[in-house]
Amino acid sequence: MNEVSDTDHIRGNPNADVVIVEYSDTECPFCKRFHETMKQVMAEHGDSGKVAWVYRHFPIDQLHSKARPQAVAMECAAKLGGNEVFWKYTDRIYQITPSNNGLDMNELPKIASYVGLDAAKFNECLVSGEFDGKIEEQVAEAVATGAQGTPWSIIVGKDGKKYPVPGIVTGKQIGRAHV
């Protein structure tokens, strides 16, 4: 797994005792549930600096052909609005998608406007191809670390030890990583 860096999308303190690196697919129904779980974890432990959440893309094209363009949209949101807007955009996708390729792709620019982005610049970014390589690198990294589905997380404890977790992370698993 590549080390967490300032090029990642991080919610919380990047130097937290526990860092959860999530590889996710926006059209995966389990990822949608996990996203809400992670928001709760961050509400309970993020403000204290104990936990950080890193989001990386793992669209599974064979199952969810709309997830990759949504990953591009999330990257465009980050480019145009920064890390905070990335998370607002991501939260909104997970909030409104019915999962399993159910999100109308016409919603992507609407979400951009909803989070305060310039729709024209956003649409230019969507078709630019600028983030195709980044997303593909994250997919390859997920697979190289053992991912066979989503969500796929790697919990990094304060001692640097890594705990791969397929599926939804539970509070018990986070506790083992010494929160």
Side-chain angles (χ1 to χ4, degrees), residues 90-179:
T90 301
D91 289 346
R92 186 68 176 161
I93 281 184
Y94 280 109
Q95 180 182 24
I96 67 171
T97 185
S99 300
N100 292 321
N101 269 355
L103 183 66
D104 180 348
M105 298 303 277
N106 291 320
E107 290 297 314
L108 298 180
K110 293 176 187 175
I111 297 169
S113 294
Y114 178 84
V115 300
L117 296 174
D118 178 284
K121 288 180 182 177
F122 180 81
N123 286 330
E124 286 174 23
C125 182
L126 278 181
V127 298
S128 72
E130 178 179 352
F131 297 107
D132 296 349
K134 178 179 183 174
I135 293 163
E136 192 53 41
E137 285 174 19
Q138 291 182 354
V139 168
E141 179 182 314
V143 171
T145 62
Q148 296 180 4
T150 55
W152 170 253
S153 301
I154 298 175
I155 300 173
V156 182
K158 62 184 171 185
D159 60 359
K161 187 168 181 183
K162 295 176 175 73
Y163 304 85
V165 182
I168 297 176
V169 178
T170 67
K172 187 176 190 178
Q173 290 164 319
I174 293 170
R176 284 199 317 252
H178 312 292
V179 170

Side-chain angles (χ1 to χ4, degrees), residues 1 10 25 31 40 59-60 62 88 108 114 137-138 163:
M1 179 184 88
I10 304 170
D25 174 322
C31 296
Q40 290 173 346
I60 301 178
Q62 302 87 333
K88 287 180 182 177
L108 298 180
Y114 178 84
E137 285 174 19
Q138 291 182 354
Y163 304 85

Side-chain angles (χ1 to χ4, degrees), residues 46-119:
D47 290 341
S48 67
K50 290 184 176 183
V51 177
W53 178 13
V54 175
Y55 189 100
R56 294 181 180 167
H57 304 287
F58 187 23
I60 301 178
D61 299 317
Q62 302 87 333
L63 297 175
H64 307 124
S65 60
K66 293 181 179 181
R68 190 173 295 258
Q70 290 170 22
V72 170
M74 293 158 64
E75 290 299 324
C76 289
K79 175 186 178 181
L80 298 172
N83 192 58
E84 186 177 327
V85 172
F86 167 86
W87 285 102
K88 287 180 182 177
Y89 194 94
T90 301
D91 289 346
R92 186 68 176 161
I93 281 184
Y94 280 109
Q95 180 182 24
I96 67 171
T97 185
S99 300
N100 292 321
N101 269 355
L103 183 66
D104 180 348
M105 298 303 277
N106 291 320
E107 290 297 314
L108 298 180
K110 293 176 187 175
I111 297 169
S113 294
Y114 178 84
V115 300
L117 296 174
D118 178 284

